[in-house]
Amino acid sequence: MSAAQPRIRDITPADKAALRRLHARLSDESRYRRFHSAKTELTRGDLKYLTEIDGHDHVALVAEDPARPGELLGVVRAVRSGAGSREAEIAIVVRDDLQMHGLGAVLVDALRRRVDCEGVGALVAEVQGDNHRALRFFQGQGARQRQGGSGGGVWSLELPVRLP
């Protein structure tokens, strides 16, 4: 990544190849943590779902290296739990070599601003109980564990869109 700040923008259908390249660069563990399964490659159907979005009920932002247009550094998305719901599930992935350097927080902040404009009031993160880095990350962003949770060793964390 260059010294310049990454460009944060909405994902587009033209990002399919770049998203495939980002996914291929991720470690097995990062892919597993993102998809909660061993997902070695993205199918055409996956790429369509992940890039051809409506920008209202499904919002996704990418961090792009300004020195290398088309190189994705990370992706964050929010998918509403139902039409008109004020709650959306958040998912995030950052390239392994850039993890723990603040890009995730930049992406989450940008997503919060973006989904606030779409009427979303809370983001829900489903995090594997042994994923301590992600649990700390979301808690550091202000997320709190929800009552009941998802079960099966998965924590359900609620992250308010608007900061107090």
Side-chain angles (χ1 to χ4, degrees):
M1 186 172 92
S2 70
Q5 290 297 313
R7 177 178 173 230
I8 308 297
R9 62 172 176 79
D10 285 280
I11 202 165
T12 71
D15 288 317
K16 286 180 178 68
L19 187 59
R20 187 181 299 249
R21 286 191 305 273
L22 171 64
H23 185 80
R25 285 190 70 171
L26 296 173
S27 66
D28 291 341
E29 180 177 357
S30 289
R31 283 189 224 123
Y32 179 77
R33 296 297 189 190
R34 164 56 183 92
F35 292 99
H36 293 221
S37 67
K39 188 149 197 68
T40 55
E41 62 183 53
L42 297 174
T43 67
R44 266 195 283 171
D46 293 333
L47 291 167
K48 179 179 173 136
Y49 172 77
L50 295 170
T51 63
E52 297 178 24
I53 61 175
D54 66 11
H56 177 69
D57 291 327
H58 185 169
V59 173
L61 303 175
V62 297
E64 184 178 53
D65 187 338
R68 299 182 66 194
E71 182 180 344
L72 301 185
L73 309 174
V75 181
V76 67
R77 72 183 58 246
V79 180
R80 277 188 215 260
S81 50
S85 174
R86 293 205 21 88
E87 190 172 278
E89 184 174 351
I90 184 174
I92 184 170
V93 68
V94 171
R95 211 171 70 188
D96 288 72
D97 61 322
L98 300 174
Q99 291 176 10
M100 308 294 292
H101 294 285
L103 182 56
V106 169
L107 283 165
V108 169
D109 287 346
L111 183 69
R112 280 175 147 159
R113 289 190 301 276
R114 179 71 172 74
V115 299
D116 186 36
C117 296
E118 301 300 331
V120 173
L123 297 168
V124 177
E126 301 292 331
V127 180
Q128 295 147 333
D130 65 345
N131 190 351
H132 304 291
R133 280 192 346 184
L135 290 168
R136 281 192 307 273
F137 170 77
F138 281 114
Q139 289 166 340
Q141 297 296 310
R144 299 290 173 249
Q145 187 173 5
R146 293 169 62 130
Q147 290 297 96
S150 298
V154 175
W155 287 42
S156 185
L157 303 173
E158 186 171 322
L159 180 66
V161 167
R162 290 195 178 167
L163 297 173

